[in-house]
Amino acid sequence: MVSAESLEGPPQQTMKHFGVTKPISMAGPTDVDLQRSEELQKFLVDAGLYESEEEDIRRKKVLREIDQIVKDWVKLLTQQRGYSDQMVEDANAVIFTFGSYRLGVHGPGADIDTLCIGPSYVNREEDFFIILHDILADNEDVTELQPVPDAHVPVMKFKLQGISIDLLYASVSLLVVPEDLDISNGSVLYDVDEPTVRSLNGCRVADQILRLVPDIEHFRSALRCLKFWAKRRGVYSNVTGFLGGVNWALLVARVCQLYPNAVPSMLVSRFFRVYTQWRWPNPVMLCPIEEDEIGFPVWDPRKNPRDRTHHMPIITPAYPCMNSSYNVSISTLRVMIEQFQFGNKICEEIELNKASWASLFQPYLFFEAYKNYLQVDITASDDDDLRTWKGWVESRLRQLTLKIERDTYGMLQCHPYPNEYVDASKQCSHTAFFMGLQRKQGVKSQEAQQFDIRGTVEEFRHEVNLFMFWKPGMEIYVSHVRRKQIPSFVFLRSVPLGSSSDSLQSRKSPVKEEVEGPPKRMKLSPEMSSSSSPTLEMKESPLVGPCSTSPQTSNTGSSAIEVEGKHQEGLFDYKHGSLVASVESSLSSAGVDFYGFGRAPPGGIETSEGKNMSACSSSVRETAIIKLVSQMAPTQGYSSKDGLVSLVNMKGFEEKAVVTSECGRAEVNH
C-alpha cells in the first residue's frame, strides 16, 4: 500500500503524475488553508465520525475470528471430498476487506465489507450459502444472519459479536489459495464467472483508489467529510438512485488528482467547485480504461448502446472498468447538482469568513422543500419479515422514480429521500419512505396541470408484490400526501438507508405520542392552490391500511369459480385441501378468488392452520406462472395435476388463479 509519507517526499517538479489529465493547480496550502483544515478536522471529531481505539480493537478481533471460521470451513470441505492429508493441511481461504473500512474512512457502528477467497473446488451456491451459512447459524456469537444469494453481488449479511458484516465469496482458479494472494493481479480473474468478478472488484477498486491518489491521509479526511455532508443533505444512497460509498470515493479521488498539493479544507472547497461545473454525462475517471484479453465487457459508450443512457458515469479504476453509478436517474442527478451548488455557495462564504464549517452540514429540510409527496408504507408481521421485505422494496424504489419520469415524459420530477421512518405506535412492524414531487422547473405549463399516475403506482405495486419470498403480512401501500398531511411520526426519528443500526427493534422509538393516522390510500388529491404544484390523480385502494384488521383465513372459507363467464359458488376446504364446487365443471380452466387473502400470492409462503403452501415465481409484468406445492393435505389442494397456476392480471392488478390440468379438465373436487 502506498503511504502518505512516501508521496510527500519528492519535490513538486518530479512528483508522479496522477489521473487522465494534468492537474488544475499544483498550489499548496496557505497558513489560512492549514488553519481551516484544523478547524474542519476538529468539527469532524466533535461530530463523532471517528471510532474509539477500543472499537478498532474489537473490529480487528472479529476479522481474525471470521478468517479462522472460513479457514476451518475450507479444510472441512477438503477433508469431506476425499483429498489427501497434505491437501487438507494446505487448504486455505483468505479474508480481504473493502469499502469504507479498507479505505480507512469508517465510523462508529459502521459495517465491515469483507471478501472470502477460496479454492476452485469450493463453490458459492452450496458450499458458501448452505454449508458456511449453517456453520454461522450454529455460532452463538452470530445474529441477524441473512443470506442474499440473488443479489447483483451475492452476499451473506450478519452480525458477529455485535459488529455488522457483509461477507462476499469468490472462488478462484487455484487448488490452494496462498495467504499472500495478490488480488490486484489480473490473473485472479481467469476462468471465473461475472458474479465472482463483481465480488473481487470491490477489493481491487479500493486498493486501486489508494494507489491513484497523491496523499492518502488528505484523501481520507476529505472523503470522510464529504460522506458526512452527503448523508446530511440526503444524497447518500446508491440503492435509491444517488451515490454510495465507492461513488463518493471516486469523485473525491479525482479532485485529489486535480489538486495534488491541496490539504483537506482546499479539497472540500474544490470538490464543489469542480462538480458544480462538471458537464455530465462526461465520465469521471481516475485512469484510462483498459481492455484485456480475458474478454469481460468494459464501460464504452461507443460500443455499448446501454452505456450511452448513463446520466452520471463514474468509472471504476480496476479491470473490468464499469460505471459504478448506473443507478442515477435524471431526477436524482438534478437533486445532486442542486446540492453541489449549495455546497459551493457555502464554501465560498467560508473562504470569505462569512460562514463556518457547521453551515455546510445543515440538514436538508426535505419536508419543507415540496408541496406534494408520495408516501410508501411497508409492513410485515414481525421484524425479521420486515427486514427481508424492506430490503426487496428498497431495491425497487428506484423503479418507481423511473416509471414516473417515463409516464409523465419527464414533466413530473421525483425526489426519493434516502431515509426511512418508523411509526412506533403500530402493532405490526412498519417503515415508510417518502418522495418529493414537483413539476419540471423552467417549463411553461397549463394552469393546474394534472398528472395521472394511478397506473404507474399500480404497476409498481404489482411488480413489488411478485417477491418470490412473499409471506402473509408483507404489504406495501402508496399514497399521495400534501405537505400538511405528513404524519407526525416522521418528525420523531428517522433512520438513513444503510444505517449501521439496522436492528428494526432498536429503531422503534420509545416515545408514546398521539400520531396522525395514515392518509387514505390512493385518494384523489384536492385541488392545489398554487399553479406551480401538480394535481395528482391516484386511485382508491381496494386494500386495507397498514396493520389494520384484515380478513382472517378460516379453516373452511368461501370461494368462487368462474367458468367462461359463469360464476359458480363453492367452498374451499382448507382441512382437506380441496375446492368443493356446487356444480361440476368439465372445462379446462377455472378462476378462483381465495377468501381470507387480499391476493393470491404470486410467490412466497402462504400459511394456513400451521401448514404452508410454497410457490416459485417466474414473472413478467402482467402474468406470472407459478408451481404450487401443497403441504396442507395429501391432495394437491386447488392446484391441478400438473401443478401449474397462471396468475392473470385483472382490474386493479388483483390476481385470479386459472387452474389447468394435463387431462384438460379443471380439478374441481366434490
Side-chain angles (χ1 to χ4, degrees), residues 349-361:
E349 293 177 354
I350 291 173
E351 291 178 347
L352 294 172
N353 295 319
K354 293 182 178 180
S356 65
W357 286 114
S359 303
L360 183 64
F361 301 98

Side-chain angles (χ1 to χ4, degrees), residues 215-388:
D215 188 301
I216 291 175
E217 290 309 315
H218 290 170
F219 161 74
R220 284 173 172 160
S221 294
L223 177 56
R224 193 183 295 270
C225 168
L226 286 159
K227 285 179 64 176
F228 182 52
W229 172 86
K231 291 174 182 178
R232 296 286 282 179
R233 302 302 295 177
V235 289
Y236 189 96
S237 173
N238 181 276
V239 70
T240 314
F242 294 107
L243 301 180
V246 68
N247 310 125
W248 291 106
L250 292 168
L251 290 182
V252 173
R254 183 66 184 121
V255 173
C256 291
Q257 292 179 337
L258 295 172
Y259 299 92
N261 296 315
V263 293
S265 64
M266 299 169 65
L267 291 171
V268 171
S269 175
R270 276 38 169 201
F271 176 93
F272 292 114
R273 186 181 303 173
V274 167
Y275 293 116
T276 296
Q277 300 176 40
W278 197 273
R279 296 182 179 179
W280 305 105
N282 287 331
V284 172
M285 298 188 296
L286 301 186
C287 59
I289 295 176
E290 297 182 6
E291 301 213 22
D292 194 282
E293 66 274 7
I294 300 177
F296 288 108
V298 298
W299 187 82
D300 188 347
R302 298 168 301 179
K303 296 180 181 178
N304 308 320
R306 188 173 182 180
D307 293 345
R308 297 173 204 156
T309 66
H310 295 166
H311 303 292
M312 192 183 190
I314 303 172
I315 311 304
T316 56
Y319 176 83
C321 298
M322 307 172 187
N323 175 22
S324 64
S325 53
Y326 59 86
N327 273 354
V328 174
S329 68
I330 294 173
S331 289
T332 53
L333 176 58
R334 170 189 62 84
V335 172
M336 284 188 282
I337 290 174
E338 289 175 356
Q339 293 306 316
F340 290 154
Q341 292 168 346
F342 165 83
N344 189 51
K345 181 177 179 244
I346 297 296
C347 284
E348 288 176 350
E349 293 177 354
I350 291 173
E351 291 178 347
L352 294 172
N353 295 319
K354 293 182 178 180
S356 65
W357 286 114
S359 303
L360 183 64
F361 301 98
Q362 298 172 40
Y364 179 62
L365 302 178
F366 176 71
F367 291 105
E368 295 182 14
Y370 298 93
K371 295 183 178 180
N372 296 279
Y373 297 86
L374 283 185
Q375 177 177 337
V376 181
D377 287 288
I378 304 164
T379 64
S381 299
D382 55 46
D383 288 348
D384 288 336
D385 282 357
L386 182 61
R387 186 177 294 109
T388 303

Side-chain angles (χ1 to χ4, degrees), residues 458 461-462 539-543 593 597-600 622 647-657:
E458 291 287 359
R461 287 181 61 251
H462 181 68
K539 187 176 181 180
E540 190 74 38
S541 174
L543 298 177
D593 294 322
F597 296 99
R599 44 187 282 289
E622 295 185 353
L647 297 182
V648 179
N649 175 38
M650 297 178 69
K651 183 178 180 181
F653 287 86
E654 295 177 2
E655 295 90 358
K656 70 174 181 179

Side-chain angles (χ1 to χ4, degrees), residues 231 234-237 240 367 416-421 431-434 494-497:
K231 291 174 182 178
V235 289
Y236 189 96
S237 173
T240 314
F367 291 105
Y417 197 51
N419 282 30
E420 57 181 280
Y421 299 86
T431 194
F433 301 96
F434 291 83
S494 69
V495 181
L497 290 185

